[in-house]
Amino acid sequence: MRLVIARCSVDYAGRLTAHLPSAPRLILVKADGSVSIHADDRAYKPLNWMSPPCTLKEGTGDDAGVWTVVNKTGEKLIITMEEVLHDSSHELGVDPGLIKDGVEAHLQELLADRIETLGEGYTLVRREYPTAIGPVDILCRDGDGGTVAVEIKRRGEIDGVEQLTRYLELLNRDPHLAPVRGVFAAQEIKPQARVLATDRGIGCTVLDYDALRGIEDDKLRLF
């Protein structure tokens, strides 16, 4: 990972255009090729970013100090450096991945055992399907034989959708699996996460933990 702190301006040119005026910012260049620009607020959310696959070209000569990041669709992120305050690279190695809490781990186990919860004809391929950036919670096939990647959270938020998006980008490069569609499954899915998932063609499923465990509703029933 490369960490650069610099006074810079940023311009994005693609489906929309956006401009960040000159200010000190943190620029992260990750091993997967992604580039993101951060301010000293907004928690983990970047001001602007380019997801992989993309290429970074650092200008020379008259263009020295200008970084141009281009993705596969031709969208550009242009970072103009005015003053570099820090520039360092660090080898982080292979990350062991997120260790889920007990509820998320149990949800994964229960859903794998009751994969038909996602729809009629669904069959399990594997839990914890390995990828270069971490394991996909569940890989399965739908009733038509299509490949489906499932990301499971106790509480579904935007970062979970982003995580599933990265998995889908990798899985869809495998001709033995593609096309792969995604399902974001959680006990609760935040409205913003649902909107983002829908925009990216990812399905959303709300999981009933008690129902998966086979616990009946103890409310009085008339029938």
Side-chain angles (χ1 to χ4, degrees):
M1 179 182 290
R2 184 177 178 186
L3 307 175
V4 178
I5 298 175
R7 177 173 290 279
C8 62
S9 60
V10 183
D11 292 279
Y12 172 81
R15 290 169 294 178
L16 302 171
T17 59
H19 174 71
L20 293 173
S22 176
R25 297 187 176 95
L26 168 66
I27 303 166
L28 297 182
V29 183
K30 295 186 178 181
D32 63 2
S34 63
V35 178
S36 57
I37 297 97
H38 299 259
D40 201 9
D41 60 6
R42 299 167 59 94
Y44 59 88
K45 296 180 181 179
L47 296 166
N48 214 327
W49 69 93
M50 193 70 82
S51 299
C54 58
T55 57
L56 166 62
K57 180 180 178 182
E58 297 186 41
T60 58
D62 293 340
D63 291 329
V66 178
W67 291 13
T68 304
V69 188
V70 184
N71 68 10
K72 61 182 179 181
T73 63
E75 296 172 311
K76 293 182 179 181
L77 193 65
I78 301 170
I79 307 169
T80 303
M81 308 286 190
E82 299 171 12
E83 180 184 9
V84 176
L85 306 172
H86 174 87
D87 188 346
S88 64
S89 296
H90 308 270
E91 180 58 54
L92 302 185
V94 178
D95 191 272
L98 177 68
I99 299 175
K100 295 180 178 294
D101 67 23
V103 172
E104 284 189 17
H106 200 202
L107 279 171
Q108 182 192 119
E109 180 183 351
L110 291 169
L111 185 58
D113 288 341
R114 297 165 176 79
I115 199 66
E116 67 278 0
T117 301
L118 297 177
E120 185 177 353
Y122 272 67
T123 56
L124 178 68
V125 174
R126 178 173 172 175
R127 288 174 56 194
E128 299 288 331
Y129 186 87
T131 76
I133 58 173
V136 177
D137 286 338
I138 289 178
L139 194 73
C140 58
R141 295 196 182 276
D142 61 23
D144 297 321
T147 310
V148 181
V150 184
E151 179 63 25
I152 299 170
K153 299 291 184 188
R154 181 173 60 180
R155 185 175 180 176
E157 302 192 66
I158 284 177
D159 57 346
V161 179
E162 295 284 7
Q163 183 179 358
L164 179 53
T165 300
R166 293 191 292 271
Y167 288 144
L168 290 172
E169 287 177 350
L170 279 180
L171 293 171
N172 273 299
R173 297 178 198 173
D174 186 338
H176 299 292
L177 297 176
V180 184
R181 64 183 181 87
V183 171
F184 189 48
Q187 288 181 280
E188 174 192 4
I189 299 177
K190 293 295 185 179
Q192 299 93 331
R194 187 180 290 275
V195 169
L196 180 61
T198 300
D199 182 67
R200 295 183 177 180
I202 294 171
C204 292
T205 297
V206 176
L207 300 175
D208 186 325
Y209 186 50
D210 287 340
L212 286 172
R213 294 168 63 201
I215 298 176
E216 291 290 337
D217 189 342
D218 59 1
K219 292 180 181 178
L220 293 176
R221 302 172 185 263
L222 293 176
F223 303 98

